[in-house]
Amino acid sequence: METQELHRGRLIDHIQLVVRDLAASRTFYEAALGALGIPIGGADEGYFWADELFVSSADSLAAQGHLTGRHHLAFQARDEAAVKAFYEAALAHGGKGNGAPGPRPYHPGYYAAFVLDPDGNNIEAVFHGPAQRSAASVKITF
């Protein structure tokens, strides 16, 4: 599926992860993101992408031979069941648990799960609760 949709006004346009084992990462992300309803958008020999996430091998032209460091990426989930499905799919496809599905103290209704991808990136699925879902913006205090 080679589709692209441009979203103007977002803070992040895209994120690139450069990984050691592209096949292992594709297996992981295809399952984990698939559980959230996000399909792989396209692929070639040295990369694949899904929505605004671009994942490439170290030998791709874009990577210039360098792996990226450890990152934390959080993907929105439509409900708590999707968070749980993400966690289970990620664990079954090469991920390691880094925080089982459950409520978090960040704001009322915050429900999330965390896994480490094959390169050690901390990947999160989060549902902000029904009250937060319809809000145009959420103020989070750290």
Side-chain angles (χ1 to χ4, degrees):
M1 169 198 304
E2 286 286 338
T3 61
Q4 293 184 3
E5 186 176 341
L6 182 61
H7 300 279
R8 298 220 182 262
R10 289 185 174 174
L11 176 64
I12 304 296
D13 183 78
H14 67 277
I15 294 174
Q16 179 183 8
L17 296 178
V18 181
V19 299
R20 290 184 305 266
D21 185 338
L22 189 64
S25 290
R26 174 141 184 198
T27 297
F28 171 84
Y29 282 102
E30 196 161 26
L33 294 176
L36 298 175
I38 303 167
I40 297 299
D44 203 345
E45 187 176 316
Y47 68 88
F48 67 89
W49 60 270
D51 203 67
E52 284 83 19
L53 176 63
F54 185 84
V55 181
S56 65
S57 60
D59 59 354
S60 73
L61 290 176
Q64 300 177 353
H66 301 285
L67 299 174
T68 49
R70 186 170 183 224
H71 293 288
H72 174 177
L73 303 177
F75 299 105
Q76 291 184 15
R78 68 184 166 281
D79 53 28
E80 291 180 8
V83 171
K84 292 174 187 173
F86 158 86
Y87 187 76
E88 292 167 6
L91 293 182
H93 292 88
K96 294 180 183 171
N98 198 33
R104 300 295 193 268
Y106 309 131
H107 67 68
Y110 198 107
Y111 187 91
F114 301 84
V115 294
L116 299 179
D117 76 2
D119 281 82
N121 293 296
N122 185 24
I123 309 301
E124 174 184 0
V126 58
F127 173 60
H128 289 284
Q132 300 298 330
R133 188 183 211 178
S134 62
S137 64
V138 176
K139 182 177 180 183
I140 300 173
T141 306
F142 294 95

